[in-house]
Amino acid sequence: MSHPLDRAVWNALTTRLSGFVTTDSDARAVRIDPEVGIFVSGADAAPSTLKAMADLALRHPGAGMVELTGGPMDALDLPGVEVVSRIPLVQMVCAALTPGGPDLTHEILTQTDAPEMLALATLTKPGPFRSRTRELGPFIGVKQDGRLVAMAGRRLRVDGFTELSGVCTHPDHRGRGYAAALSRAVVGEILASGEGAFLHAFAGHDATIAFYRSLGFEVRAPMTYTILG
């Protein structure tokens, strides 16, 4: 039997995050609201499903797919939709945090913080982040002199797992342990709820993977991020 994280996007958008899909999604294909994220996914690789996914990708540009490398939905072409690139990822999971440093004073970010959150994510590029991505949270952050300088939050949710996402720090404030402290805070809450934590990282970013290993994450599986035109 497949693991729920093998198809994390499909499993999330058809269950716990179903309230975030576009109204023109159907049982075969789903597209998250473009203001919330980029994900499009389908039930299977049947031609009718791929056509339904293509229709969603064309109606709501800027879509992307994340699938298990070598899995049944990996590296599929959607009819009439350009593939801009396919990027290798690693999916990492955490069942227990490693011993860490002192807690960091942070706050829960709200709608008022949305413009600064988008600006910080646009600057630092932790992964796809849109104007309403914060609604998948909660997100937490650190502010200096009233300005947001670091944040972390949650994104995909599947049976038994919640994803750590949006971890980023302004370049002028790096080296102070913000990313580690905020990640620990988010993951600690996920684990305390009885779920496991997971995340996706670019496979070629060795320093990023090493950072998450230092927190207690281990690589679970290779994934492919397909960016659609």
Side-chain angles (χ1 to χ4, degrees), residues 154-177:
R154 300 159 173 81
R155 187 171 59 179
L156 296 177
R157 290 175 170 84
V158 303
D159 185 23
F161 295 89
T162 292
E163 182 185 25
L164 170 68
S165 184
V167 180
C168 55
T169 304
H170 192 284
D172 294 341
H173 296 268
R174 289 174 180 163
R176 305 179 188 183

Side-chain angles (χ1 to χ4, degrees), residues 34-122:
E35 294 184 1
V36 176
I38 55 94
F39 297 123
V40 63
S41 190
D44 50 43
S48 59
T49 301
L50 300 185
K51 175 62 165 59
M53 293 171 64
D55 290 344
L56 286 172
L58 292 170
R59 282 199 296 272
H60 306 284
M65 302 182 292
V66 175
E67 296 287 349
L68 179 69
T69 303
M73 298 293 286
D74 181 39
L76 294 176
D77 291 323
L78 305 184
V81 181
E82 175 194 10
V83 172
V84 176
S85 61
R86 300 192 197 274
I87 303 172
L89 305 177
V90 291
Q91 185 183 79
M92 306 182 74
V93 294
C94 178
L97 286 166
T98 57
D103 292 336
L104 176 71
T105 300
H106 61 264
E107 59 186 84
I108 297 175
L109 302 177
T110 69
Q111 177 60 37
T112 303
D113 301 302
E116 279 197 275
M117 295 172 70
L118 181 59
L120 181 60
T122 300

